[in-house]
C-alpha cells in the first residue's frame, strides 16, 4: 500500500502598521473612484461611463439617420461589454447626455420621456429610445477605424474598447461636467461651441497667447438655460486659476397686467435652478409672503412649456415693482453661484486646469490624432500604390502573364514565377516567353493582385480608370506626407475641420456676460424676536424659533456644531482661517422646522468653504462687548477690541497675515489669565495674556513664540483661575496649567513622549 504523502503548509503572518494599510487602501480606493468614475478625461471631456455608452451606441450602429433603439438595449450592451456596474447609473448617464437643458450640446438624441427642466425624471429605460446625434458621430466618434486611439481590453478581456474617444472639439469646455470623487470634485460650466473653436484657432496661430487674450474669443460660460453672468470682472481670475465662483442671475422682465397691475416675469433661470430648484423658487416666494416680508404679491403661476421658461408673479397695483424684483433676486434662487473647479484627468493624473491648459491639451491631442490618422491613411495609399503599379505593369505584359498562368499546374507555381522569375514547372509556348518570364520581379502583393484580376478589368476604359486612380493615389500620398512632415499643414488641416464643425453645429450664445451691481431692496421692519442660529458640521445653516429649540434641545445640541441664541434682526460673525470676518444677516436665513436642512453658509455670506475654514462664530453683539485674541500658526498674536468689527460690510479683514500664515484660534478674552501655545514638533510655552498687546484689526500682531522654520503652532489653550486643561502630546497627557510660566516670545520647552 502506497504511503499517503502529506503536505505541510506553514502559516505566514505579515506584520504591518494598521494605519499604513488603511492609508494605502484608502488612497487606492480614492484614485480608483477618481480615475474610473467621477472625473472626465481632458481629451474627450467624458467620464468612463459616458464614453462606454457612446461607444456601445456606435457599435450598435445607432447613427443619427438610423431608427431609434430601446434604451434598455443600449444599457444592456454597455453593461455587459464595457461597464460592469449598475444599470441605473448607466441609464442616468445616457439620460443626462440627451438633456439639452443640462448640456451645452446634447450628445444623444432621445425619443420619449427623458425628463424635464423642472426635475421630472425620465421614463424607465424599457419605454425610451435613443440614437446618436450627428454632432456626436462627426465630432467625437469619427475616425475610430483609422487607428487614431488605443483600444484596451474590457473588464473580462473578451472585448476591446477605446481608452479615449477621438474628439475633434474640447467637449470638456463645450458641455461642462460635474463629478464628486473622494477628496476631490470637478465642476465645469458649459461654453459656446463657436467661441471655443475660435479660441482654439487663436491659440494655434499664437501659442504664447494669454488667458486674457483667449477671453476675447471665449467670453465666459454659455449655459443652456440662458441667464446672466453678473461678475464679468472675476472671470479672468477663475479661468487663470481653474477655480472660483460664477454669479448667475435669471432674466426678469416687467410686463403690464390688467387693471393697472404689473407682472414680474422670469423668462430665463440660472443654470443651478434646473430641476427641483424651480419648485423651491416658487416655495421661497410663498415663504416671503408667509413671513410678511412682502404683501405686494397677488399670485404666482408657472406657465413654462416646451417653448421655454415663463414664471409669472402678479403684483398689486401701485407696488414698488423694482424693489420687489430685487427682493426676489436676493431672497430666492433667482440669483445663485456656480462653483467652478476645472479638475480633469490630464496625462494620467487629476489636475486643476486653466482655460489655456485645456485648450493646449486639446490641440496636442488633435495633433496626435491626426498624426495617427494620416499615418494610417498613408500606409493604405502606399499599399494601393504598390498594387496599382503592379497592375499597370502587368497590363504591358498581360499576354505573358496569361501564358504563365495557363502553363502552371498550381497557383503557387505561377505566383513564384511572377515574384522570383522561376520558370520550373511551367509550359511556355516559346523560349522567348520563358526568358521574359525569368525577368519578372513583382512583389508578393502585386502578384496576388494579378492572380486575383478579372479579365474584364483589361478593357481599355478599366485600364484608364486604373491609371486615373493611380494618379489620385500619388496625390493623396503627397498630401498625407505634407501633413505629417509640415506642422503648418497639420494645423491648417485641424483648423479646417474645426471650421466645418462650427459652420454645421455652432449656435448663438444664450447667456449674457455683464457686470451687474448687487441687487438691493428695502425690507419691511419686522417684529424683533429671539431665535437660535444653527449650523451643522457640513456648513448648512438655519434659524429656528425658541419653542422649537426648547422642545428639541438635546437633539439640536447633538446634531449641530454651532447653536447660538440671537435676535432675528441680528447678525452672526464668522472668523475664518484666512483672517477675514464674514457677517450673516439672520433675516437671510430661512426660519425652519425641526427637520429642515437649511442652506449652505456660502450662499448667504461671502464665506468660501473651498478656500477657508471657520475658526470662531458668535453674534455681532457678543463681538462688540469683548476683546478677541487672535493666534496664527506662525505664532503671531494680538488682542483686538470687538468694537472694531461693528461695520456694515459683509466681509472685513479681521487681521493681517504674512505669506503662508493662517489663523488657528480666535477667542473672546473675559477672565482668562494665561495662554499656552503647543507646536507640531512638541514645543510648549505658557505666559500671561497681558503680555499680548492690544492692536488694530489691520495689524499683524506680535510674536508669541519662537519657531523653527519647519514648526508651527497647532494648539492654543486659554486658562482662567482654576482651569487645568489636558493636552495629549506624543501619546502623553500633559496638564497644561502645570507647564512652567515664562515670558512671551521664547522657544518654549520640548515635551518628551
Amino acid at each position: 500500500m502506497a504511503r499517503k504523502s502529506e503536505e505541510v503548509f506553514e502559516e505566514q503572518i505579515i506584520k504591518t502598521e494598521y494605519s499604513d494599510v488603511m492609508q494605502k487602501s484608502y488612497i487606492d480606493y480614492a484614485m480608483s473612484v477618481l480615475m474610473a468614475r467621477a472625473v472626465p478625461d481632458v481629451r474627450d471631456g467624458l467620464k468612463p461611463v459616458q464614453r462606454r455608452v457612446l461607444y456601445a451606441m456606435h457599435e450598435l450602429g445607432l447613427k443619427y439617420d438610423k431608427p431609434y433603439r430601446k434604451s434598455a438595449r443600449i444599457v444592456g450592451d454597455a453593461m455587459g461589454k464595457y461597464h460592469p456596474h449598475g444599470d441605473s447609473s448607466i441609464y442616468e448617464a445616457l439620460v443626462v447626455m440627451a438633456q439639452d437643458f443640462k448640456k451645452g450640446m446634447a450628445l444623444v438624441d432621445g425619443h420619449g420621456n427623458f425628463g424635464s427642466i423642472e426635475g421630472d425624471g425620465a421614463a424607465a429605460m424599457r419605454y425610451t429610445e435613443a440614437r446618436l446625434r450627428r454632432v456626436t458621430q462627426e465630432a467625437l466618434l469619427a475616425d475610430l477605424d483609422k487607428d487614431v486611439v488605443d483600444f484596451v481590453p474590457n473588464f473580462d478581456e473578451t472585448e476591446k474598447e477605446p481608452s479615449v474617444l477621438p474628439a475633434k472639439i474640447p467637449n470638456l469646455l463645450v458641455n461642462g461636467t460635474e463629478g464628486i470623487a473622494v477628496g476631490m470634485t470637478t465642476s465645469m460650466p458649459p461654453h459656446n461651441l463657436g467661441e471655443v473653436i475660435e479660441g482654439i484657432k487663436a491659440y494655434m496661430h499664437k501659442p504664447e497667447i494669454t488667458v486674457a487674450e483667449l477671453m476675447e474669443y471665449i467670453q465666459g460660460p454659455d449655459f443652456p438655460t440662458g441667464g446672466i453672468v453678473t461678475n464679468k470682472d472675476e472671470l479672468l481670475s477663475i479661468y487663470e486659476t481653474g477655480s472660483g465662483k460664477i454669479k448667475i442671475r435669471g432674466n426678469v422682465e416687467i410686463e403690464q397686467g390688467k387693471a393697472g397691475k404689473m407682472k414680474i416675469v422670469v423668462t430665463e433661470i440660472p443654470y443651478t435652478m434646473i430641476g427641483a430648484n424651480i419648485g423651491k423658487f416658487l416655495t421661497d416666494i410663498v415663504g416671503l409672503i408667509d413671513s410678511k416680508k412682502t404683501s405686494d404679491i397677488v399670485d404666482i403661476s408657472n406657465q413654462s412649456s416646451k417653448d421655454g421658461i415663463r414664471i409669472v408673479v402678479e403684483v398689486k397695483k401701485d407696488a414698488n415693482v423694482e424693489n420687489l424684483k430685487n427682493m426676489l433676486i436676493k431672497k430666492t434662487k433667482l440669483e445663485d453661484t456656480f462653483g467652478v473647479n476645472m479638475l480633469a484627468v490630464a496625462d494620467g493624473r487629476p489636475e486643476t486646469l486653466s482655460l489655456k491648459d485645456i485648450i493646449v491639451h486639446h490641440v496636442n491631442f488633435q495633433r496626435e490624432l491626426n498624426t495617427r490618422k494620416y499615418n494610417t491613411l498613408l500606409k493604405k495609399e502606399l499599399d494601393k500604390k504598390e498594387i496599382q503599379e503592379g497592375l499597370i505593369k502587368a497590363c504591358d505584359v498581360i499576354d505573358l502573364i496569361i501564358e504563365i498562368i495557363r502553363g502552371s499546374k498550381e497557383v503557387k507555381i505561377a505566383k513564384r514565377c511572377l515574384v522570383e522569375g522561376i520558370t520550373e514547372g511551367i509550359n511556355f509556348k516559346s523560349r522567348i516567353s520563358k526568358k521574359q518570364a525569368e525577368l519578372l520581379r513583382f512583389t508578393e502583393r502585386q502578384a496576388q493582385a494579378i492572380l486575383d484580376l478579372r479579365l474584364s478589368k483589361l478593357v481599355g476604359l478599366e485600364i484608364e480608370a486604373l491609371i486615373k486612380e493611380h494618379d489620385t493615389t500619388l496625390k493623396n500620398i503627397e498630401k498625407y506626407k505634407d501633413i505629417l512632415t509640415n506642422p503648418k499643414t497639420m494645423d491648417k488641416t485641424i483648423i479646417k475641420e474645426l471650421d466645418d464643425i462650427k459652420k454645421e453645429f455652432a449656435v448663438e450664445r444664450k447667456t449674457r456676460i455683464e457686470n451687474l451691481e448687487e441687487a438691493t431692496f428695502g425690507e419691511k421692519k419686522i417684529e424683533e424676536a429671539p431665535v437660535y442660529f444653527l449650523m451643522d458640521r457640513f456648513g448648512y445653516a438655519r434659524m429656528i424659533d425658541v419653542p422649537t429649540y426648547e422642545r428639541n434641545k438635546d437633539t439640536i445640541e447633538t446634531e449641530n456644531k454651532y447653536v447660538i441664541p440671537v435676535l432675528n434682526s441680528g447678525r452672526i460673525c464668522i472668523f475664518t482661517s484666512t483672517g477675514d470676518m464674514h457677517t450673516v444677516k439672520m433675516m437671510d436665513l430661512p426660519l425652519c422646522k425641526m427637520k429642515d436642512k437649511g442652506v449652505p453658509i456660502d450662499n448667504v455670506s461671502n464665506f468660501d468653504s473651498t478656500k477657508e475654514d471657520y475658526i470662531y462664530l458668535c453674534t455681532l453683539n457678543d463681538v462688540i462687548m469683548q476683546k478677541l485674541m487672535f493666534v496664527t500658526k506662525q505664532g503671531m498674536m494680538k488682542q483686538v477690541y470687538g468694537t472694531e468689527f461693528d461695520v456694515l460690510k459683509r466681509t472685513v479683514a479681521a487681521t493681517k497675515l504674512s505669506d503662508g500664515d493662517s489663523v488657528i484660534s480666535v477667542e473672546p478674552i473675559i477672565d482668562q489669565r494665561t495662554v499656552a501655545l503647543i507646536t507640531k514638533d512638541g514645543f510648549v510655552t505658557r505666559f500671561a495674556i497681558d503680555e499680548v498687546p492690544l492692536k488694530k484689526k489691520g495689524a499683524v500682531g506680535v510674536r508669541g513664540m519662537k519657531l523653527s522654520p519647519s514648526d508651527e503652532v497647532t494648539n492654543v489653550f486659554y486658562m482662567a483661575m482654576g482651569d487645568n486643561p489636558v493636552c495629549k502630546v506624543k501619546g502623553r497627557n500633559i496638564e497644561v496649567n502645570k507647564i512652567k510660566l515664562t515670558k512671551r516670545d521664547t522657544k518654549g520647552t520640548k515635551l518628551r513622549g
Side-chain angles (χ1 to χ4, degrees):
M1 184 176 177
R3 185 177 179 181
K4 189 176 181 180
S5 62
E6 295 182 0
E7 293 184 4
V8 178
F9 296 97
E10 292 185 8
E11 186 178 20
Q12 292 185 345
I13 299 175
I14 300 172
K15 293 185 178 181
T16 186
E17 181 65 35
Y18 180 73
S19 61
D20 293 342
V21 175
M22 291 300 294
Q23 183 179 11
K24 182 180 183 303
S25 300
Y26 184 78
I27 291 172
D28 290 345
Y29 166 70
M31 288 303 295
S32 172
V33 170
L34 193 147
M35 300 292 289
R37 291 193 199 177
V39 179
D41 193 301
V42 69
R43 295 171 294 175
D44 62 6
L46 297 171
K47 300 175 187 178
V49 63
Q50 296 170 324
R51 186 179 303 119
R52 288 164 177 167
V53 167
L54 293 178
Y55 182 64
M57 295 177 75
H58 172 76
E59 287 295 281
L60 284 168
L62 300 184
K63 297 182 179 179
Y64 75 95
D65 54 354
K66 300 293 182 184
Y68 294 94
R69 190 75 67 88
K70 284 287 185 186
S71 299
R73 173 63 192 276
I74 299 168
V75 171
D77 265 40
M79 181 167 59
K81 291 182 177 180
Y82 313 115
H83 198 70
H85 299 279
D87 58 354
S88 59
S89 62
I90 298 173
Y91 183 50
E92 184 180 345
L94 174 68
V95 167
V96 170
M97 287 192 289
Q99 293 177 328
D100 56 8
F101 52 84
K102 280 191 180 176
K103 295 290 181 183
M105 183 183 68
L107 302 176
V108 171
D109 181 5
H111 184 240
N113 177 13
F114 273 81
S116 74
I117 194 171
E118 295 182 22
D120 301 317
M125 69 180 83
R126 62 183 179 274
Y127 298 121
T128 61
E129 298 175 327
R131 64 185 177 190
L132 293 168
R133 285 188 179 269
R134 185 180 168 196
V135 66
T136 314
Q137 283 179 222
E138 297 184 10
L140 265 71
L141 292 163
D143 300 331
L144 272 174
D145 59 338
K146 295 182 178 66
D147 189 34
V148 290
V149 294
D150 294 331
F151 277 73
V152 295
N154 69 338
F155 60 91
D156 61 0
E157 299 188 353
T158 59
E159 300 277 347
K160 292 278 190 178
E161 62 175 308
S163 58
V164 65
L165 293 187
K168 295 179 181 179
I169 57 171
N171 183 53
L172 185 65
L173 279 176
V174 174
N175 269 328
T177 188
E178 287 187 3
I180 301 173
V182 179
M184 291 185 182
T185 62
T186 180
S187 180
M188 175 87 70
H191 294 78
N192 184 271
L193 174 63
E195 291 181 7
V196 169
I197 287 175
E198 289 304 313
I200 294 168
K201 288 163 60 181
Y203 164 73
M204 294 180 76
H205 290 310
K206 182 184 174 184
E208 68 276 11
I209 194 170
T210 64
V211 173
E213 290 171 327
L214 277 172
M215 289 184 66
E216 293 176 13
Y217 303 92
I218 305 171
Q219 298 177 39
D222 188 20
F223 297 105
T225 54
I228 308 165
V229 170
T230 65
N231 58 333
K232 179 180 179 180
D233 287 347
E234 296 177 25
L235 294 183
L236 177 59
S237 172
I238 293 171
Y239 283 127
E240 284 179 336
T241 62
S243 63
K245 287 185 176 182
I246 295 173
K247 294 179 182 177
I248 46 179
R249 184 183 296 180
N251 188 56
V252 182
E253 298 174 359
I254 308 297
E255 294 182 4
Q256 183 70 48
K258 296 178 181 178
K261 296 178 182 177
M262 303 297 288
K263 294 179 181 179
I264 298 175
V265 182
V266 179
T267 57
E268 294 173 5
I269 59 172
Y271 186 62
T272 51
M273 200 192 280
I274 290 174
N277 281 331
I278 292 181
K280 188 177 186 311
F281 170 64
L282 300 173
T283 304
D284 287 344
I285 296 176
V286 174
L288 293 175
I289 300 169
D290 291 343
S291 62
K292 310 296 185 197
K293 289 185 179 178
T294 180
S295 57
D296 293 332
I297 296 175
V298 176
D299 190 26
I300 318 157
S301 59
N302 186 358
Q303 300 174 12
S304 304
S305 66
K306 62 181 181 180
D307 296 324
I309 293 292
R310 183 176 170 83
I311 301 171
V312 180
V313 179
E314 292 189 29
V315 181
K316 284 181 180 178
K317 189 176 180 181
D318 300 327
N320 187 337
V321 181
E322 195 64 31
N323 188 69
L324 182 57
K325 183 184 84 169
N326 287 347
M327 178 185 284
L328 296 181
I329 289 170
K330 288 293 290 181
K331 293 291 186 180
T332 70
K333 286 280 186 179
L334 197 54
E335 184 174 73
D336 206 353
T337 56
F338 182 95
V340 176
N341 189 30
M342 294 159 68
L343 179 80
V345 176
D347 298 325
R349 63 181 185 183
E351 192 175 337
T352 300
L353 305 167
S354 69
L355 177 64
K356 183 177 178 180
D357 290 337
I358 294 172
I359 289 175
V360 170
H361 278 289
H362 175 73
V363 172
N364 291 341
F365 183 49
Q366 290 312 297
R367 288 169 177 157
E368 179 190 335
L369 290 178
N370 278 273
T371 299
R372 293 181 64 162
K373 173 184 174 179
Y374 287 106
N375 270 321
T376 301
L377 292 176
L378 178 61
K379 185 178 181 301
K380 286 183 179 178
E381 292 298 314
L382 289 171
D383 291 345
K384 280 169 65 177
K385 173 176 173 283
E386 179 185 344
I387 291 170
Q388 288 164 357
E389 288 176 346
L391 292 176
I392 291 169
K393 181 181 172 185
C395 288
D396 295 334
V397 290
I398 193 64
D399 293 334
L400 176 61
I401 291 171
I402 292 171
E403 190 175 339
I404 292 169
I405 294 171
R406 290 184 67 184
S408 302
K409 291 181 180 179
E410 295 179 353
V411 174
K412 65 180 181 181
I413 294 174
K415 187 175 182 180
R416 186 177 61 182
C417 179
L418 293 173
V419 175
E420 301 175 30
I422 298 172
T423 58
E424 292 178 13
I426 303 174
N427 293 322
F428 290 96
K429 292 180 180 179
S430 66
R431 288 183 180 181
I432 296 172
S433 297
K434 185 176 181 181
K435 285 184 178 180
Q436 289 175 338
E438 288 173 350
L439 299 174
L440 295 176
R441 289 296 183 275
F442 290 99
T443 66
E444 285 278 345
R445 268 204 224 111
Q446 288 174 339
Q448 189 60 50
I450 291 167
L451 292 171
D452 293 339
L453 186 68
R454 292 168 58 188
L455 289 175
S456 62
K457 292 287 182 181
L458 298 176
V459 299
L461 290 175
E462 289 289 343
I463 293 170
E464 285 181 19
L466 177 62
I467 293 170
K468 283 183 181 178
E469 188 181 340
H470 181 57
D471 290 340
T472 303
T473 300
L474 292 176
K475 288 178 183 176
N476 286 339
I477 289 170
E478 185 180 353
K479 174 185 171 184
Y480 298 156
K481 283 184 176 178
D482 184 35
I483 291 171
L484 290 167
T485 56
N486 190 337
K488 288 185 178 178
T489 309
M490 170 74 79
D491 285 355
K492 283 181 182 177
T493 305
I494 294 170
I495 288 171
K496 184 182 182 303
E497 284 189 340
L498 289 171
D499 284 336
D500 291 342
I501 291 171
K502 179 184 175 182
K503 183 179 178 181
E504 194 67 40
F505 302 110
V507 295
E508 291 293 323
R509 164 172 281 279
K510 295 178 181 177
T511 302
R512 303 199 303 278
I513 311 291
E514 299 178 12
N515 278 317
L516 297 182
E517 293 183 2
E518 192 170 334
T520 58
F521 64 95
E523 290 189 69
K524 286 187 176 182
K525 288 195 173 183
I526 59 165
E527 187 178 341
E528 205 168 64
V531 292
Y532 278 85
F533 168 84
L534 309 181
M535 190 167 83
D536 63 21
R537 60 192 179 94
F538 300 108
Y540 280 82
R542 54 188 168 137
M543 174 171 57
I544 62 167
D545 56 32
V546 174
T548 302
Y549 170 77
E550 290 176 345
R551 286 195 304 270
N552 305 277
K553 183 176 179 181
D554 292 341
T555 304
I556 288 170
E557 297 283 352
T558 303
E559 293 180 351
N560 291 278
K561 188 172 183 179
Y562 294 97
V563 180
I564 302 172
V566 62
L567 291 173
N568 58 0
S569 58
R571 284 189 284 170
I572 295 292
C573 297
I574 305 173
F575 291 88
T576 74
S577 56
T578 57
D580 291 326
M581 183 197 79
H582 306 296
T583 59
V584 181
K585 287 183 181 180
M586 290 303 296
M587 294 311 301
D588 287 342
L589 291 171
L591 182 62
C592 295
K593 297 178 182 177
M594 181 59 190
K595 293 183 179 179
D596 292 341
K597 191 175 184 180
V599 296
I601 199 72
D602 300 44
N603 290 4
V604 290
S605 70
N606 291 335
F607 178 77
D608 187 347
S609 57
T610 63
K611 296 179 180 177
E612 53 190 341
D613 300 316
Y614 37 80
I615 303 297
Y616 176 61
L617 274 74
C618 65
T619 68
L620 180 60
N621 285 342
D622 287 343
V623 169
I624 295 169
M625 299 293 291
Q626 56 203 8
K627 291 184 293 186
L628 293 179
M629 174 79 82
F630 288 80
V631 183
T632 76
K633 71 178 184 181
Q634 292 180 2
M636 302 306 293
M637 303 177 70
K638 68 175 181 179
Q639 295 189 66
V640 182
Y641 280 121
T643 50
E644 291 223 13
F645 302 106
D646 187 11
V647 293
L648 295 176
K649 291 183 179 179
R650 294 183 74 185
T651 299
V652 295
T655 187
K656 187 175 181 181
L657 295 172
S658 303
D659 290 342
D661 203 1
S662 61
V663 177
I664 63 166
S665 174
V666 178
E667 183 78 8
I669 300 302
I670 303 171
D671 55 359
Q672 301 97 318
R673 294 189 176 183
T674 61
V675 58
L677 308 182
I678 299 176
T679 75
K680 180 179 68 176
D681 291 344
F683 285 88
V684 61
T685 183
R686 186 170 74 93
F687 52 87
I689 283 176
D690 290 343
E691 291 193 39
V692 180
L694 280 160
K695 297 278 186 179
K696 295 290 184 181
K697 66 175 186 290
V700 175
V702 298
R703 188 167 63 182
M705 186 177 187
K706 292 179 181 177
L707 302 173
S708 64
S710 62
D711 203 5
E712 61 185 45
V713 178
T714 55
N715 294 88
V716 184
F717 292 90
Y718 305 89
M719 289 152 286
M721 185 69 73
D723 291 344
N724 191 19
V726 175
C727 177
K728 195 166 188 176
V729 179
K730 296 185 178 181
R732 176 186 169 196
N733 289 331
I734 305 294
E735 292 184 23
V736 181
N737 209 19
K738 291 186 178 180
I739 295 168
K740 182 181 177 182
L741 195 66
T742 60
K743 294 291 185 181
R744 178 182 62 78
D745 198 22
T746 64
K747 188 173 181 180
T749 306
K750 175 75 171 179
L751 296 174
R752 305 296 177 186

